[in-house]
Amino acid sequence: MGLAANRRRCNHVSGIARELQLRTRTGTKKLGKEYELDLGAYELRRAGRVLRLERIPMELLILLVERSGQLVSRDEIIERIWGRDVFLGTDNSINAAIRKIRQVLRDDPERPRFIQTVTAKGYRLIAPVSDTGAGAPAGKPVDVRSAPIRKI
């Protein structure tokens, strides 16, 4: 197997692992006083209304919620969202994702209530997070060993 084929296989397996992780998340987290993050339904809501958030900003928000109060480095964000072997413009992608999250949460970077920037290091979720226990049931788990490998 050549290097390119091996890399495609690793990326595919990594993608399956991320999909498995997404499908097994459940529960609802309360962010601040007005937002709910439903992990099972993969939705962010405000006053019961679903707010639109693309996949990468949603994944980043989930990571920040999981690590609430802790610094999440840019390297950790890259590894979690894109994988270790990605060489694209991740700095701009992270900045764009943070900007989209802040827009949806109505968070001002100059006076943050939700996401604090730690310059040249990463980000920290500073809003209070509580577990409401509610949420949609988890999706059917994926058996990574038997998942088909898609050719690229």
Side-chain angles (χ1 to χ4, degrees), residues 79-141:
E79 185 174 331
R80 168 78 170 262
I81 294 177
W82 293 282
R84 292 181 186 183
D85 299 325
V86 171
F87 301 103
L88 54 103
T90 52
D91 281 343
N92 289 334
S93 298
I94 292 170
N95 294 343
I98 289 290
R99 188 171 44 256
K100 289 174 183 178
I101 294 169
R102 284 183 170 144
Q103 286 173 344
V104 166
L105 295 176
R106 301 176 181 174
D107 197 24
D108 180 0
E110 299 299 318
R111 291 181 157 168
R113 295 179 304 131
F114 291 94
I115 300 172
Q116 176 188 48
T117 300
V118 180
T119 306
K121 296 289 183 188
Y123 301 91
R124 178 182 294 119
L125 186 72
I126 57 173
V129 175
S130 58
D131 190 359
T132 66
K140 182 179 176 184

